[in-house]
Amino acid sequence: MCGLGGVARVDGRDLDEGADAVLATMARTLAHRGPDAEEILRDGPVGLAFTRLSLVDPEGGGQPLVSPDGSVVLIANGEVYNHRALAAGLPAGGRELRGGSDCEVLVHLYQQKGLAFLDDVRGMFGLVLWDRRRNVLLMARDHFGVKPLFYSRDRERVVFASEIKALFSDPRCPRRVAWDEALASPSLTASPALDVSAPTTWFEGVASVPAATIVEIDLAGGTTREHVYWTPPDFMGDPAADGRDDQDIVAEFRALLTESVRDCATADVSIGLFLSGGVDSAAVAALAAGTTSLETFTVLSASTVVNGDARYARLVADSLGVPNHQILFEASHVPSAAEWKRLLWLTEMPTCGPEQYYKHELHRHVRSHHPEIKGMLLGAAADEFCGGYSVQTSGGRGWNGFMAALTDMDRAGRLQDGPRPLGAWWEGVEAGLLSDAALAHVREGHRDPYALFVAAKMRDVEQFNCWHEDRTAAGSGIEARVPFLDRRLFELVATIPPDRRERLLWDKAIVREAVAGLLPREVVDRPKVPFFYGEGVQHTHRTFITMLAQDDHALLEEALAGPRGKEYLNAGRVHDLVRRLERAPLSGHVERLLPLINLCLLDRMAEDLPPAPAATATLLPDVRAAHSVDWSDGGDEALALTVAPRRWDDDSRLVLADGVALLRATDGTTRYLAVDGSLEYVLEGDEPWSAFLTHLDGSTTVRRACAEAGTTTEELSPLLTECLDLGLLVPAPSVPATGPAPRPAPSTEPGPTP
């Protein structure tokens, strides 16, 4: 991994000495990406800034790389995994490379093939190439956009860099958040629609070089053209695949994944792996364990204890005989405002949230305690094209339900994109009167909902996954490597005919079967569990709710004080939501609020330009410790380390919250919890929980109510905690001795049978 930056005139003139200050600032801003070396070059119309993290050929792989005749200059960020094979295929006169750098071969390929020089390259990269002879500048990214590259231009110059903040080194680059675009982005709205639009950069006047694309700029007149060197397959299947049985496809998938992991694990420095406990990172661990000395790292938090991730990660590591460092995130630790702003400025994305925080902290731990590790393997991106979201999306209705859901999501996307407002025809009890043919004029190139689903997910990979994986690693001078993002794997899965998708892609069957003999069966068959969502998510949310509320809502106040914060956000509603979430973290979604706060903070930071991330490292607290947990007790030790003390005890007095009522049906046995007049929960009358709720009158303790219901506090503890987190139960108000009588017991009078 490296940091690229630069500026070039596009009006036929040369840069003057004023560009030197811009290039020097760029290098400082990108120093965290390349702490091993720095080079600055200004020559004619082009100025380049390069910071290097040396994973391959540390001594001889410096950049810029220059062709023997001096006509081609290249700076590149990333890795070319098949560089040796590419070098071997060069003409005899071009095979003698200056050093062992994996990127040097790109210079010779360009001289040999011109714009076709990336056609056979496998790897991840963002690169800038200056062809002195043709007086053109090329900017290019890898097939999936794993490595970033941004640019901003006007009629006189173009400025480019690996990170947006480095573009702001040029005072002429706009420094404003693109609010209108951001607020409409499905990444923020969580709209259940398939979005295949181009990724956004979140900032006005800033463009991103598209994945699998070369942007060519004529430096004499500014003419720009794009050359797409790889078009992802459309996932419509390949009749030729019918000649292979399912096991043949699985075997080919395993062989390609094995080679990709081996390529990603190859370096002249140590490589680590983030092990979540899911089958994807476990598969990478199993295939990498025999090729390199591997250290694995896992988040140990209340959420990963409750959802099982931490325990399964240790199981995988033990089965493979590799170390597993579980990094402790105690419930009492909350990011400070300074920490959060530093992470936000590092990632440059309003969608920065708990996942980015956890991964950033893992990388910091690695950098602090294992400085020899400069590359990190990840299990990311298998879900997106191997069926990882099929079970979750199906709503329990199997493959047919999955496909039906995709059709609905496709329709929602078409309704958003279409030129005419037709959404009303798919709303209310009359929905369905029109067929989807009425929307055939939108997205005619995507007739198969599954193909469109994969296209939308791969957009997410470029917009979100690759973006934050790159930044959270780069902040600690580490390179993230993603073996599943190998175009050969993608192309193989795309050939699976539609009538065989259920067999191979339901619940990632192709991945599970590919590594079935390498991992314990319970790991291979383990259902997909999101990183920290699902069971136990409230523990993570509580941390970030507390972050927003701490110091008298200081972070909120800072965000709301900015011009856009004052204009676009309803301050009263923001504060009300945070106060409600403090009381009941499951009663709303802090991750719907956090992007808005992030937009406000980014807006202010873009204007004020904080110090470079590397320069602010002293603001961070001590790196979290790694803990060796004995999982033989079922996780009790891990829970004790990570879970916050419960908010009630045996002597607590609880009542139903305002708007919550306990109703009894006319059958006399079934009860319901109604929330704001809507029947939300069904309770069987003979259950202890149902009986317990009837005794909550504001004066009865939890212990006594349990005794009256014939149960114990230990048995009802999970339900009590969950109902407090949902805001269904609240502490009874304190009543002065001479005050009004306690609140009466909840009504259990018969209500209407629904």
Side-chain angles (χ1 to χ4, degrees):
M1 181 196 69
C2 302
L4 311 184
V7 59
R9 299 287 301 218
V10 296
D11 57 359
R13 301 172 60 186
D14 288 347
L15 292 171
D16 58 28
E17 293 180 356
D20 293 344
V22 173
L23 295 171
T25 304
M26 279 187 160
R28 287 195 301 272
T29 304
L30 297 170
H32 57 284
R33 299 186 64 88
D36 295 333
E38 174 188 309
E39 293 290 338
I40 292 178
L41 168 71
R42 177 171 61 85
D43 185 11
V46 174
L48 302 174
F50 178 78
T51 64
R52 186 185 185 211
L53 178 72
S54 51
L55 281 83
V56 177
D57 190 16
E59 299 301 325
Q63 297 187 32
L65 297 163
V66 183
S67 63
D69 64 1
S71 66
V72 176
V73 181
L74 173 82
I75 53 175
N77 164 34
E79 305 292 334
V80 176
Y81 296 132
N82 62 334
H83 63 101
R84 291 187 177 86
L86 293 171
L90 291 171
R95 295 177 187 171
E96 296 182 3
L97 304 184
R98 184 191 70 187
S101 167
D102 54 289
C103 293
E104 187 178 356
V105 68
L106 298 176
V107 173
H108 299 272
L109 287 172
Y110 174 75
Q111 289 192 299
Q112 179 190 7
K113 298 182 176 182
L115 289 179
F117 76 117
L118 297 176
D119 289 0
D120 300 317
V121 171
R122 286 193 296 105
M124 54 176 189
F125 51 84
L127 64 86
V128 177
L129 185 149
W130 175 28
D131 185 334
R132 284 181 165 124
R133 186 170 296 163
R134 295 178 54 223
N135 199 25
V136 296
L137 189 79
L138 308 183
M139 298 180 290
R141 289 174 74 200
D142 59 75
H143 303 79
F144 299 100
V146 178
K147 292 289 107 181
L149 189 57
F150 302 95
Y151 66 98
S152 179
R153 62 168 297 177
D154 57 24
R155 287 178 294 181
E156 295 181 2
R157 60 94 184 96
V158 58
V159 57
F160 45 88
S162 298
E163 297 184 10
I164 296 170
K165 64 181 71 66
L167 300 180
F168 299 154
S169 303
D170 181 354
R172 295 171 59 179
C173 180
R175 302 207 303 255
R176 296 182 299 273
V177 167
W179 271 86
D180 292 343
E181 183 179 3
L183 291 176
S185 170
S187 299
L188 264 64
T189 63
S191 171
L194 299 181
D195 181 18
V196 292
S197 63
T200 177
T201 67
W202 308 112
F203 288 88
E204 294 180 8
V206 174
S208 176
V209 175
T213 301
I214 301 170
V215 176
E216 182 183 50
I217 303 176
D218 177 8
L219 299 183
T223 302
T224 302
R225 64 172 178 149
E226 291 188 358
H227 169 72
V228 178
Y229 65 84
W230 179 69
T231 301
D234 59 11
F235 268 71
M236 296 295 289
D238 181 0
D242 292 333
R244 299 171 293 171
D245 63 24
D246 294 341
Q247 291 308 308
D248 290 335
I249 296 175
V250 170
E252 186 175 352
F253 185 93
R254 179 170 54 246
L256 290 174
L257 181 59
T258 300
E259 185 176 348
S260 182
V261 170
R262 184 192 64 207
D263 288 343
C264 291
T266 299
D268 295 329
V269 295
S270 296
I271 299 292
L273 181 142
F274 281 176
L275 187 59
S276 71
V279 69
D280 301 333
S281 62
V284 175
L287 294 171
T291 63
T292 185
S293 177
L294 195 65
E295 304 274 344
T296 69
F297 303 87
T298 300
V299 169
L300 181 63
S301 70
S303 293
T304 64
V305 171
V306 172
N307 72 15
D309 263 357
R311 183 176 72 82
Y312 273 92
R314 177 58 54 79
L315 174 63
V316 170
D318 289 347
S319 72
L320 298 174
V322 298
N324 179 230
H325 308 279
Q326 303 214 334
I327 314 307
L328 177 63
F329 290 80
E330 297 175 290
S332 60
H333 178 80
V334 176
S336 67
E339 287 179 86
W340 186 252
K341 288 189 293 182
R342 179 188 183 276
L343 176 60
L344 183 59
W345 190 236
L346 173 67
T347 62
E348 306 170 335
M349 52 194 295
T351 47
C352 182
E355 181 176 0
Q356 291 68 49
Y357 173 73
Y358 286 135
K359 290 182 175 177
H360 174 254
E361 293 300 283
L362 284 185
H363 284 296
R364 285 210 311 123
H365 174 90
V366 172
R367 182 61 186 267
S368 176
H369 295 280
H370 304 271
E372 73 282 1
I373 294 177
K374 293 186 177 182
M376 192 63 62
L377 297 173
L378 307 173
D383 286 326
E384 280 69 19
F385 67 96
C386 293
Y389 298 105
S390 53
V391 175
Q392 169 188 332
T393 306
S394 72
R397 297 175 294 160
W399 182 264
N400 290 336
F402 174 49
M403 293 304 297
L406 297 190
T407 299
D408 292 342
M409 294 166 69
D410 179 16
R411 183 186 306 118
R414 290 171 184 255
L415 289 171
Q416 286 184 175
D417 293 347
R420 298 185 295 275
L422 300 178
W425 293 104
W426 277 269
E427 299 172 354
V429 295
E430 298 84 7
L433 296 177
L434 289 181
S435 74
D436 288 335
L439 293 173
H441 62 285
V442 183
R443 296 180 181 170
E444 292 188 11
H446 294 280
R447 300 179 185 275
D448 180 356
Y450 186 82
L452 186 65
F453 174 73
V454 174
K457 284 299 178 185
M458 296 316 292
R459 177 205 183 270
D460 291 344
V461 164
E462 181 179 350
Q463 175 75 81
F464 179 75
N465 302 70
C466 290
W467 188 322
H468 80 78
E469 298 288 12
D470 172 84
R471 294 304 198 289
T472 53
S476 295
I478 295 173
E479 179 176 85
R481 295 186 171 187
V482 195
F484 278 104
L485 286 182
D486 185 305
R487 74 173 186 184
R488 299 168 303 171
L489 285 169
F490 191 84
E491 290 167 347
L492 170 65
V493 174
T495 66
I496 297 174
D499 61 351
R500 294 164 71 182
R501 288 174 182 162
E502 181 177 1
R503 164 68 185 84
L504 291 169
L505 298 178
W506 173 254
D507 197 21
K508 287 195 293 195
I510 192 170
V511 178
R512 298 180 190 278
E513 294 181 26
V515 295
L518 303 176
L519 294 164
R521 193 73 234 181
E522 61 182 303
V523 174
V524 173
D525 295 337
R526 185 191 179 206
K528 174 178 170 55
V529 176
F531 181 18
F532 58 84
Y533 292 101
E535 187 179 7
V537 68
Q538 68 270 28
H539 300 294
T540 292
H541 282 179
R542 187 175 285 113
T543 295
F544 292 88
I545 294 164
T546 304
M547 178 188 76
L548 294 175
Q550 67 186 341
D551 299 328
D552 198 22
H553 295 188
L555 195 62
L556 288 183
E557 294 294 353
E558 181 176 348
L560 294 170
R564 300 291 183 99
K566 291 178 180 178
E567 179 182 2
Y568 285 174
L569 270 61
N570 183 326
R573 288 285 295 120
V574 168
H575 284 291
D576 287 346
L577 175 58
V578 172
R579 283 190 286 266
R580 188 181 81 208
L581 291 173
E582 284 185 90
R583 296 190 300 269
L586 286 177
S587 66
H589 300 282
V590 68
E591 289 182 273
R592 290 300 304 278
L593 171 62
L594 199 52
L596 297 177
I597 302 304
N598 288 341
L599 281 170
C600 294
L601 294 172
L602 283 171
D603 218 10
R604 300 195 69 179
M605 287 190 283
E607 182 177 350
D608 298 337
L609 292 187
T616 61
T618 54
L619 293 177
L620 295 172
D622 293 338
V623 179
R624 256 148 292 288
H627 278 255
S628 179
V629 175
D630 180 5
W631 289 97
S632 62
D633 62 2
D636 290 346
E637 178 192 354
L639 281 172
L641 286 170
T642 58
V643 176
R646 66 189 187 188
R647 294 182 292 150
W648 59 272
D649 58 32
D650 289 0
D651 295 323
S652 295
R653 290 170 171 80
L654 304 176
V655 295
L656 294 177
D658 290 339
V660 179
L662 182 63
L663 305 176
R664 186 174 62 196
T666 54
D667 63 12
T669 59
T670 304
R671 290 189 174 92
Y672 302 90
L673 270 183
V675 181
D676 294 329
S678 175
L679 300 181
E680 296 289 343
Y681 304 94
V682 181
L683 310 173
E684 296 299 328
D686 58 352
E687 289 182 349
W689 178 246
S690 178
F692 169 82
L693 291 177
T694 66
H695 294 286
L696 299 184
D697 58 6
S699 62
T700 302
T701 65
V702 168
R703 181 193 294 109
R704 182 177 175 185
C706 285
E708 295 286 345
T711 185
T712 65
T713 56
E714 288 75 16
E715 183 178 349
L716 295 189
S717 177
L719 280 169
L720 275 168
T721 298
E722 183 176 4
C723 283
L724 281 164
D725 286 343
L726 285 166
L728 301 175
L729 295 178
V730 296
S734 300
V735 180
T738 59
R743 175 179 172 177
S747 170
T748 58
E749 290 302 309
T753 301

